[in-house]
Amino acid sequence: MYPEIFHISFLHTYGALVALAFLCGLWMAARLAKRDSLDVDALTNLGIYCALAAIVGAKAMMLIVDPRYRESPREIFTLDTLQAGGVFYGGLLAALAVSWWYMRKTGLPLWRTADVFAPGIALGHGIGRLGCFSAGCCWGVECHLPWAVTFRNPVAHDLVGVPLGLPLHPTQLYEAFSEFAIFAILYRQIGKSHRPGAMIGLYLVLYSVVRFIVEFFRNHEQGNLWGTPLDTSQWISLGLCALGAWCLFRSESGSQAPAKPIRRASVRR
């Protein structure tokens, strides 16, 4: 809707909101880590490493699934590719791999660290999807419902290719509002007694379900995978949902003792 800030062509709303998303997500994770007596400095460094890995992973996934790059490899080295956000799942998978490596290296407890990151991931992703909406990327299929959105800014079309003058499903908002709801659920639950790993497991299950459903309303230039009714993101959703379910319901014999609830700061009246 508003792809540029103050009509400054090099200052895109998407980039500004993604930066805000990272800062808010990292602030939330550090806040919860401090309450859980984790090493805040190490966790902050982990967040930065994960952000860098997510950028690389998101763009790598984009190059894999977008047929434009298979048909014309020279597109990889264009400015459009540099400005594109990429595919979130590629970034998430890369961040998970880097976080596993870094936590083993520094001795951060795997499940407790993952749990304090879960609400921050949901919060940051929700803000990031507002950036998608402002730029017009990740747009939905045509629809004529009362809440359909119509993009009219030529800059949005030039940046991401969103069709102009056509009512579309606001899939970016579907996902953003769902992520804010997931954040509220996780923030409430992390204050209660839970097994280590339960929060990241709950996040993976909830987000995977949301993403699986939203994909049916998104425009897909790359088509579905293996000739099935499902696209790449939906297959990844199924895998991550299974992983999240395992985190939630893994056997007691292989899990740690229940985590203490993270205490919320008292408010003086």
Side-chain angles (χ1 to χ4, degrees):
M1 289 298 183
Y2 297 98
E4 295 177 313
I5 301 176
F6 304 125
H7 301 286
I8 302 174
S9 60
F10 60 85
L11 184 56
H12 297 299
T13 311
Y14 174 81
L17 286 174
V18 168
L20 177 63
F22 170 71
L23 293 175
C24 289
L26 189 58
W27 169 80
M28 177 56 61
R31 184 167 178 261
L32 294 175
K34 185 176 181 180
R35 294 178 182 178
D36 201 22
S37 302
L38 294 174
D39 187 335
V40 176
D41 290 337
L43 185 132
T44 301
N45 291 335
L46 171 59
I48 295 172
Y49 286 135
C50 285
L52 295 175
I55 293 172
V56 175
K59 290 186 181 297
M61 180 69 77
M62 179 183 67
L63 300 180
I64 293 172
V65 302
D66 195 325
R68 175 179 46 170
Y69 298 105
R70 294 194 296 270
E71 296 167 2
S72 181
R74 291 182 180 179
E75 289 285 333
I76 295 174
F77 305 102
T78 63
L79 182 61
D80 289 342
T81 299
L82 181 64
Q83 293 178 333
V87 179
F88 171 75
Y89 266 149
L92 179 61
L93 293 173
L96 289 174
V98 168
S99 63
W100 177 83
W101 165 78
Y102 185 81
M103 283 186 281
R104 284 180 59 89
K105 177 182 177 182
T106 59
L108 280 170
L110 173 62
W111 295 115
R112 287 171 58 204
T113 304
D115 282 347
V116 299
F117 264 107
I121 294 172
L123 176 62
H125 193 194
I127 297 172
R129 282 304 182 196
L130 295 180
C132 290
F133 183 67
S134 68
C137 62
C138 309
W139 67 89
V141 297
E142 181 178 355
C143 80
H144 298 277
L145 296 169
W147 57 83
V149 296
T150 303
F151 292 89
R152 304 188 186 279
N153 194 321
V155 176
H157 176 73
D158 293 340
L159 283 174
V160 300
V162 60
L164 303 181
L166 190 67
L168 307 170
H169 274 286
T171 47
Q172 310 95 329
L173 297 184
Y174 294 164
E175 202 164 331
F177 296 151
S178 296
E179 284 282 27
F180 291 142
I182 292 172
F183 164 72
I185 293 170
L186 293 173
Y187 189 74
R188 180 180 178 83
Q189 290 299 120
I190 203 170
K192 301 177 181 179
S193 180
H194 59 273
R195 284 210 314 271
M199 294 300 100
I200 190 65
L202 183 59
Y203 167 76
L204 290 174
V205 169
L206 292 176
Y207 177 68
S208 296
V209 171
V210 167
R211 183 63 179 267
F212 186 90
I213 295 172
V214 169
E215 286 296 307
F216 286 115
F217 302 99
R218 279 182 61 173
N219 176 73
H220 296 288
E221 295 180 345
Q222 70 268 27
N224 294 336
L225 192 64
W226 304 319
T228 68
L230 306 180
D231 63 26
T232 305
S233 293
Q234 287 175 314
W235 283 107
I236 296 175
S237 293
L238 292 176
L240 288 181
C241 188
L243 175 61
W246 176 79
C247 292
L248 278 171
F249 303 112
R250 69 190 190 281
S251 64
E252 288 287 346
S253 60
S255 64
Q256 304 173 38
K260 295 179 180 179
I262 295 180
R263 294 175 295 177
R264 298 189 175 91
S266 59
V267 179
R268 293 185 179 180
R269 298 185 179 181

